[in-house]
Amino acid sequence: VVPIITFLLVLTAQQQQFFYKSYGFIEQSGLIISEKVYGPGFYVWIAYAYSCVIASVVLLLRSMFDMPQRFRSQIVLLILVSILVLFPNLFFVIGLNPIAPYDPTCLSFVVVGFLMLITMKFYRFLDVMPVAYNLVFSSVKNGVLIIDERAFIQDLNPAAEVLLDCSHKEALGKPISEIFSVHH
């Protein structure tokens, strides 16, 4: 509801002063930049948006310790990415912008996008969603193996460990043919 109301307030900014008390363009150091005087609606939006990010970070921190070790680095990355976007925007809003008159938030999104691209490409980030893993994979009563395109075991649940008579540590990263030939 808050994002929809905020969007409508921005669209109707000319008819009311709840989101922006005033806004326009000025020349500063040879550049044409926007100048805004924020209204109470803007601060409601900022409080809401920052609260969502902070609540997400808290939830990620809480869930991190319930995740398998290999997913913890993904959680840490998500937390760092959240902070990397939050702080430049906060500095801009409160007037402590190190690259004034430019908004550093846009640059932080570029850096975050680049980091996420690298992480997805090289570290297979989000190949198996940690939340799905935590909620479903480990509690399924049937044996489940996750294999990659080369038929190497990427993960197995506790029921598969029992069926295959091998531990997670023994099976992880090995070809499925090797595990089946040794244990069956």
Side-chain angles (χ1 to χ4, degrees):
V1 172
V2 174
I4 292 169
I5 292 171
T6 301
F7 181 68
L8 293 173
L9 286 171
V10 171
L11 285 179
T12 61
Q14 291 178 340
Q15 288 79 31
Q16 44 78 20
Q17 293 184 337
F18 188 69
F19 200 80
Y20 296 121
K21 289 182 181 179
S22 67
Y23 63 93
F25 295 99
I26 61 169
E27 185 179 336
Q28 182 179 351
S29 303
L31 297 171
I32 306 265
I33 61 169
S34 65
E35 181 180 57
K36 300 174 259 318
V37 176
Y38 302 120
F42 176 83
Y43 294 107
V44 169
W45 166 250
I46 287 293
Y48 170 80
Y50 289 4
S51 296
C52 287
V53 171
I54 292 166
S56 298
V57 167
V58 168
L59 289 173
L60 285 169
L61 282 171
R62 286 185 57 209
S63 69
M64 186 169 82
F65 299 107
D66 294 333
M67 296 285 173
Q69 182 63 38
R70 70 183 172 283
F71 292 131
R72 290 182 186 168
S73 61
Q74 292 182 11
I75 300 291
V76 169
L77 179 68
L78 288 173
I79 291 169
L80 290 175
V81 162
S82 299
I83 291 169
L84 187 61
V85 171
L86 186 71
F87 280 107
N89 182 260
L90 179 64
F91 292 148
F92 178 74
V93 169
I94 64 174
L96 296 176
N97 184 5
I99 61 170
Y102 304 107
D103 182 352
T105 310
C106 302
L107 292 174
S108 68
F109 278 117
V110 170
V111 172
V112 164
F114 185 69
L115 289 174
M116 295 300 286
L117 181 66
I118 288 172
T119 305
M120 286 189 281
K121 176 81 173 152
F122 296 109
Y123 299 107
R124 302 179 64 98
F125 184 65
L126 300 177
D127 275 1
V128 177
M129 299 287 283
V131 173
Y133 179 90
N134 196 34
L135 295 175
V136 178
F137 187 72
S138 62
S139 62
V140 171
K141 300 297 181 212
N142 296 327
V144 179
L145 293 171
I146 297 178
I147 59 171
D148 64 14
E149 62 277 354
R150 301 169 299 149
F152 281 72
I153 297 175
Q154 297 299 306
D155 208 350
L156 67 157
N157 69 349
E161 289 181 74
V162 171
L163 288 172
L164 295 173
D165 191 31
C166 69
S167 71
H168 189 268
K169 195 173 196 175
E170 291 173 316
L172 203 61
K174 294 195 174 148
I176 193 167
S177 58
E178 180 182 320
I179 295 298
F180 275 108
S181 66
V182 169
H183 295 283
H184 285 82

